[in-house]
């Protein structure tokens, strides 16, 4: 899975958070990114010094787009052009150590889910800048072999949470020269873990192993990059039943609707609901019959619009559109699986049996073309349903006495 990720580092004035100009930027921002072409956007702000030792306050920005063309079109819209003018009023390029310049760039990043990286406590961006005539395929093959050797010799460094990597879209300018850029973005649990991973002579050995490619490297360390704007907390949620009413699926090769033991009963491995209309903060849903008789009658296949499928896979709950975005086939007939890289589980996927297309259940992205599966938000709440105790499900805690609540994923911005 590869994503178009726009990365940026912007030096800003000390009053950035409190400036009325920043408020205007964010108001325009909600209009600029109000498009299905934007998968997600994050922002992290840190003061002078910070994790990357910058002499100025800075904003780290990241956005996942469906394409570079979509991103450029958003920026060239009237609101986008006005927002760009306002950014000029909050940027601060002077510093005690000399001028500092903002930078942005597009990258094809794969190997994992960028959202997981951005949500980490510390985000490390490591850029390797190569001459424009460098053999990029040979460089990446060498880099991949080094990563495989590291994984086989001792696994992942302590504190590592997630990572993505890939090439810049086109050439970039680095220290006044045109370069090809290979970016590795990793998420960590703490600054101490980052120091342990790259400290001592580890970085020097890495650069020595790749010196034949005449690379120059630069690192940025950013704080957790939070969602740019969060939606109203109670909007659109509805209950789909107790957690104990869902079988906990594993890698048994059965499709999602097959019967499994749940406590002492046999139950389908998933539930499907008609999504209620948005008429209030707490909504009622209707469960859909996914029995073999219903499927064979073909009624299910023709009535998939606004249906959500909910299931638990290896301890974690997932909620997605019931309808395959490619073939309009019911994904309750699909098979869940782990998405792995070097033996490390990065995410969960589901394969639609009609044409064997697969989708990442974190991002919704397909393993081919630009089809995108709708991914829903999931919460676990106390069984009273009041929302007084609410937890985003990460598969790490006991859930049997809690209710599962879902809603359509809210558009960022």
């Amino acid at each position: 899975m590869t994503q178009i990720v726009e990365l940026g580092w912007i030096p800003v004035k000390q009053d950035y958070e409190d400036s009325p100009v920043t408020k205007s930027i964010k108001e325009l921002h909600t209009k600029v990114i109000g498009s299905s072409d934007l998968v997600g956007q994050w922002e992290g702000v840190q003061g002078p010094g910070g994790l990357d030792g910058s002499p100025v306050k800075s904003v780290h920005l990241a956005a996942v787009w469906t394409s570079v063309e979509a991103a450029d079109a958003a920026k060239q819209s009237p609101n986008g052009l006005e927002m760009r003018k306002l950014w000029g009023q909050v940027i601060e390029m002077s510093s005690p150590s000399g001028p500092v310049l903002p930078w942005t760039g597009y990258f094809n990043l794969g190997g994992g889910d960028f959202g997981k990286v951005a949500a980490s406590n510390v985000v490390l961006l490591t850029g390797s800048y190569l001459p424009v005539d460098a053999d990029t395929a040979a460089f990446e093959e060498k880099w991949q072999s080094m990563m495989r050797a590291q994984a086989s010799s001792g696994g992942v460094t302590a504190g590592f949470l997630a990572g993505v990597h890939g090439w810049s879209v086109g050439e970039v300018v680095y220290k006044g020269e045109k370069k090809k850029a290979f970016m590795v973005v990793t998420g960590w649990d703490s600054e101490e873990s980052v120091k342990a991973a790259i400290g001592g002579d580890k970085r020097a050995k890495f650069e020595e192993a790749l010196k034949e490619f005449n690379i120059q490297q630069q690192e940025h360390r950013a704080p957790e990059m939070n969602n740019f704007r969060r939606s109203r907390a109670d909007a659109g949620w509805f209950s789909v039943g107790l957690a104990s009413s869902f079988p906990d699926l594993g890698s048994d090769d059965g499709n999602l609707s097959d019967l499994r033991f749940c406590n002492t009963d046999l139950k389908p491995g998933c539930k499907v609901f008609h999504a209620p209309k948005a008429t209030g903060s707490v909504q009622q849903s209707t469960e859909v019959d996914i029995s073999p008789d219903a499927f064979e009658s073909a009624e299910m296949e023709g009535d998939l619009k606004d249906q959500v499928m909910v299931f638990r896979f290896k301890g974690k709950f997932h909620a997605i559109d019931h309808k395959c975005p490619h073939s309009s086939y019911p994904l309750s007939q699909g098979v869940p699986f782990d998405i792995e890289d070097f033996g490390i589980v990065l995410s969960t996927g589901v394969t639609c049996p009609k044409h064997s297309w697969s989708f990442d259940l974190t991002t919704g992205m397909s393993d081919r073309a630009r089809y995108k599966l709708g991914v829903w938000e999931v919460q676990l709440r106390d069984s009273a349903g009041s929302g007084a105790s609410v937890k985003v499900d990460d598969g790490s805690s006991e859930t049997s006495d809690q209710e599962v609540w879902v809603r359509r994923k809210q558009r960022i911005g």
Side-chain angles (χ1 to χ4, degrees):
M1 178 187 69
T2 300
Q3 297 176 303
I4 297 293
V5 181
E6 181 183 12
L7 299 174
W9 180 86
I10 303 174
V12 294
K13 296 178 180 179
Q14 290 298 313
D15 65 348
Y16 170 77
E17 290 100 328
D18 301 321
S19 170
V21 178
T22 301
K23 181 180 179 181
S24 297
I25 288 174
K26 293 193 175 185
E27 289 174 350
L28 283 170
H29 182 271
T30 63
K31 300 175 182 178
V32 172
I33 68 172
S35 164
S36 59
D37 292 319
L38 183 80
V39 180
Q41 179 150 339
W42 297 265
E43 175 195 63
V45 182
Q46 63 182 18
L51 298 176
D52 63 358
S54 169
V56 297
K57 175 175 280 191
S58 57
V59 176
H60 295 260
L61 295 173
V64 180
W65 295 90
T66 57
S67 68
V68 173
E69 292 75 17
D72 287 341
K75 293 176 184 178
Q76 293 302 315
S77 67
N79 287 322
L81 293 173
E82 179 63 24
M83 188 172 68
R84 186 171 182 175
K85 292 179 182 178
L86 293 177
W87 267 112
Q89 298 180 35
V90 297
I91 289 177
E92 177 60 76
M93 293 189 288
S94 62
S95 77
S97 58
V100 288
L101 299 175
W103 66 267
T104 60
Y106 296 113
F107 296 85
N108 280 299
L109 300 182
D113 172 31
F114 186 83
K116 291 184 178 180
V117 178
S120 304
N121 293 329
V122 180
V123 179
L124 177 66
L125 297 90
T126 304
S128 297
Y129 298 89
L130 289 72
V132 293
D133 59 351
D135 187 339
T136 55
F139 174 88
E140 188 165 0
E141 182 179 354
K142 182 69 173 288
W143 182 84
Q144 292 277 15
S145 68
M146 293 170 63
M147 294 300 102
R148 286 193 292 269
Q150 176 182 320
S152 62
S153 64
V156 179
T157 304
F160 172 81
L161 301 177
V164 291
H165 59 270
W167 292 96
S168 58
V169 178
E171 298 172 350
V172 300
V173 176
Y174 179 71
K175 294 186 177 180
E177 298 181 4
K178 289 185 177 181
K179 300 283 186 178
K180 292 180 179 178
F182 183 75
M183 186 67 69
V184 180
V185 188
T186 49
W188 302 81
D189 63 359
S190 67
E191 174 71 0
E192 289 69 29
S193 295
V194 175
K195 291 178 180 178
I198 65 176
D201 61 352
K202 295 179 182 178
R203 177 60 62 197
K205 288 182 177 179
F206 188 86
E207 293 178 352
E208 176 68 20
L210 295 170
K211 69 177 183 179
E212 64 185 278
F213 297 99
N214 192 25
I215 67 170
Q216 296 171 283
Q217 283 199 321
Q218 182 173 357
E219 292 178 345
H220 281 285
R221 302 180 202 179
E224 176 183 353
M225 293 190 282
N226 297 310
N227 283 348
F228 197 92
R229 177 172 176 262
R230 298 187 183 277
S231 57
R232 188 163 58 90
D234 61 349
W237 291 99
F238 60 93
S239 174
V240 294
L242 288 173
S244 58
S245 66
F246 289 83
D248 192 0
L249 310 183
S251 302
D252 59 7
D253 296 326
N255 71 43
L256 284 161
S257 64
D258 284 348
L259 297 177
R260 272 90 164 181
F261 275 105
C262 181
N263 300 317
T264 59
D265 300 323
L266 278 173
K267 295 183 178 181
C270 64
K271 295 183 183 181
V272 176
F273 297 85
H274 283 292
K277 300 295 183 181
T279 57
S281 61
V282 178
Q283 304 176 43
Q284 299 297 319
S285 60
T286 304
E287 189 166 356
V288 176
D289 182 8
I290 57 171
S291 66
D293 290 342
F295 178 73
E296 291 173 3
S297 71
E299 293 179 2
M300 182 192 301
E301 188 170 353
D303 188 29
L304 301 179
K305 185 178 180 181
D306 295 325
Q307 290 184 7
V308 57
M309 179 176 70
V310 186
F311 64 97
R312 178 161 53 174
F313 180 70
K314 296 186 176 180
K316 182 177 180 180
F317 281 93
H318 299 275
I320 57 175
D321 284 351
H322 190 205
K323 177 181 177 180
C324 172
H326 168 244
S327 64
S328 300
Y329 197 75
L331 288 176
S332 55
Q333 302 300 304
V335 177
F337 63 95
D338 287 324
I339 297 176
E340 299 182 354
D341 190 25
F342 301 131
I344 301 168
V345 176
L346 302 173
S347 184
T348 301
V350 65
T351 299
C352 177
K354 191 163 188 178
H355 299 107
S356 297
W357 284 42
S358 296
F359 301 89
D360 187 314
L361 300 190
T362 301
T363 65
M365 300 302 291
S366 170
D367 61 349
R368 63 194 84 175
R370 287 180 55 184
Y371 290 90
K372 190 168 185 289
L373 175 67
V375 177
W376 294 53
E377 296 180 75
V378 180
Q379 284 184 352
L380 300 176
R381 303 186 181 186
D382 287 345
S383 57
S386 64
S389 176
V390 177
K391 182 180 184 298
V392 176
D393 179 42
D394 59 5
S396 63
S397 61
E398 179 59 42
T399 61
S400 59
D401 292 327
Q402 292 182 296
E403 285 186 351
V404 183
W405 288 66
V406 302
R407 72 169 175 182
R408 294 184 188 277
K409 183 167 285 189
Q410 302 296 287
R411 179 176 292 168
I412 298 174

